[in-house]
Amino acid sequence: MMACAFPTLAHPHSFIDMQTTLVTRDKSLIGLKMVWTMDEITSADLLYDAGKAAPDSIVWKKLAAEVMARVMAQHYFTDVYRDGKPVRYMRLPSEYQLSRNGAKAVLEFVIPLAEPAPLAGKPLVISTYDPSYFVDMTYKDDHALHLSAETRPSCKLSLFTPAPNASLQAYALSLDKADAPPETMDLGQQFAQKVTLQCQ
């Protein structure tokens, strides 16, 4: 997904710790700011390539562009729905950067919506996941979700974490790169968390 750093072990074999901040303006959602912290093994090749380069160097900018291109090719691994209908977003991020936090690589970017989505009304549902479930993309808890100051009085974010049955978990753990699950199964979605935004 991100780089050639992903080892070929049983599912999932890479882990991303996520944080998301809602970007709002004039009582509308205009984007999602995401911070993805990769595990040490996934980060290793990226950090090796970066070496001792300064954070604002061309080396980091090139690596960031390469990683971001892979994320964009998968539509940011993110679905946004309202009333069962997809909310469209722009193809290009409005900003992005890659950095180091100890032994971990951190990707930050903003997904701008194609059109502002009014905060009031039916809830917005956001889900970020790798369909193949090679990469586990998870919010630790609801503290990883952030509202802007203007939305805190009238909006609430809720995090739902599914609990797949034991047989599905065993199936996921048994897979390796050579026997990926069929696309129709959408294995990753069955493990995907859902974030619900409800505003008054």
Side-chain angles (χ1 to χ4, degrees):
M1 172 188 122
M2 300 277 193
C4 298
F6 293 167
T8 54
L9 305 175
H11 283 56
H13 58 77
S14 292
F15 299 85
I16 293 178
D17 177 41
M18 300 189 297
Q19 293 203 38
T20 295
T21 301
L22 301 187
V23 183
T24 59
R25 185 177 63 216
D26 299 330
K27 299 183 179 179
S28 292
L29 178 68
I30 62 170
L32 303 171
K33 180 175 182 179
M34 296 194 163
V35 180
W36 293 358
T37 302
M38 305 170 214
D39 66 86
E40 289 91 340
I41 294 174
T42 305
S43 301
D45 282 358
L46 286 171
L47 298 183
Y48 177 82
D49 289 345
K52 296 182 179 180
D56 60 348
S57 70
I58 190 67
V59 173
W60 277 105
K61 291 177 181 177
K62 182 179 178 182
L63 283 172
E66 291 172 356
V67 173
M68 200 69 233
R70 289 173 172 84
V71 173
M72 289 159 51
Q74 296 296 325
H75 306 288
Y76 301 99
F77 295 88
T78 299
D79 296 329
V80 182
Y81 284 90
R82 169 170 262 166
D83 197 22
K85 298 175 183 177
V87 175
R88 295 178 56 249
Y89 38 80
M90 303 293 284
R91 190 176 67 85
L92 299 176
S94 56
E95 60 182 80
Y96 65 91
Q97 69 172 13
L98 186 67
S99 61
R100 178 198 301 266
N101 182 5
K104 297 180 179 182
V106 181
L107 178 68
E108 301 178 52
F109 59 95
V110 175
I111 308 173
L113 299 189
E115 297 179 357
L119 292 170
K122 294 194 175 181
L124 286 155
V125 180
I126 305 159
S127 190
T128 301
Y129 62 96
D130 173 16
S132 71
Y133 198 47
F134 278 117
V135 183
D136 180 89
M137 309 176 79
T138 309
Y139 297 104
K140 284 185 179 178
D141 53 39
D142 54 11
H143 295 296
L145 305 169
H146 309 284
L147 291 165
S148 60
E150 69 168 337
T151 59
R152 287 179 197 140
S154 58
C155 295
K156 180 182 178 182
L157 282 169
S158 303
L159 177 64
F160 170 74
T161 301
N165 61 43
S167 62
L168 186 63
Q169 293 184 48
Y171 171 73
L173 290 172
S174 72
L175 296 171
D176 61 27
K177 191 173 183 181
D179 51 40
E183 289 186 14
T184 53
M185 187 179 188
D186 213 355
L187 183 64
Q189 190 173 38
Q190 299 187 58
F191 288 84
Q193 295 172 309
K194 287 183 173 59
V195 177
T196 300
L197 171 66
Q198 179 70 72
C199 299
Q200 303 299 322

